[in-house]
Amino acid sequence: MSNNPVAESLKKVLASSYILSLKTQNYHWNVKGPYFKQLHDLFGEQYNELNTAIDDIAERIRALGINAPANLSTYQSLSEIKDGKEDQDSVSMVKDLANDQKKIVDDLNIAIEVAQKAGDESTADLAIGRITAHEKNRWMLESSI
């Protein structure tokens, strides 16, 4: 753990984003049912967008002079998001992902507060942009149920 609260808040966002990306890819591969094509495409779009965001978040942590965590055990210890179950029905997958989008928004709101308190508007701006993306993703998911 570093003595940089901004980096620490971003580490949690990074961990949650990575686990959500992996879960979304899992569901992309394993979704079944009458809405397969639409959900397969939606999940694919979302995990691709998350992968770009993961790199941006990790690079921001590095710009703050802290090493970005890069292993699953650390991510699992930092995140409230849990692995997905590839054998669940498509509606459960969608609900699971929508709930996780909300969890990341909560983490990002904390990151904004910490960054603004530290006068770090670059990190706050990154977090605000991520909130916009996650809120849109959640809306798209919830509208698919």
Side-chain angles (χ1 to χ4, degrees), residues 15-23 75-76 79 81-83:
S16 292
S17 298
Y18 194 91
I19 293 172
L20 180 57
S21 175
L22 187 60
K23 181 189 281 189
Y75 291 159
Q76 289 170 325
S79 179
I81 296 175
K82 303 302 176 206
D83 290 337

Side-chain angles (χ1 to χ4, degrees), residues 7 33 55 79 101 119-120:
D55 196 52
S79 179
Q101 296 285 344
D120 183 347

Side-chain angles (χ1 to χ4, degrees), residues 15-72:
S16 292
S17 298
Y18 194 91
I19 293 172
L20 180 57
S21 175
L22 187 60
K23 181 189 281 189
T24 306
Q25 189 172 35
N26 171 356
Y27 293 169
H28 167 77
W29 289 336
N30 293 299
V31 67
K32 295 181 266 192
Y35 301 105
F36 164 79
K37 176 69 172 134
Q38 294 92 331
L39 293 176
H40 178 78
D41 290 348
L42 178 61
F43 297 164
E45 290 169 16
Q46 289 189 2
Y47 86 74
N48 283 324
E49 190 276 334
L50 274 164
N51 286 332
T52 300
I54 287 165
D55 196 52
D56 292 342
I57 296 162
E59 289 176 357
R60 184 65 197 151
I61 294 168
R62 291 296 300 132
L64 295 170
I66 306 298
N67 287 336
N71 61 70
L72 287 175

Side-chain angles (χ1 to χ4, degrees), residues 62-99:
R62 291 296 300 132
L64 295 170
I66 306 298
N67 287 336
N71 61 70
L72 287 175
S73 60
T74 300
Y75 291 159
Q76 289 170 325
S77 71
L78 290 172
S79 179
E80 294 177 29
I81 296 175
K82 303 302 176 206
D83 290 337
K85 297 181 178 87
E86 63 274 353
D87 59 348
Q88 61 186 324
D89 64 86
S90 62
V91 172
S92 296
M93 288 177 175
V94 171
K95 287 179 180 178
D96 191 21
L97 293 175
N99 288 334

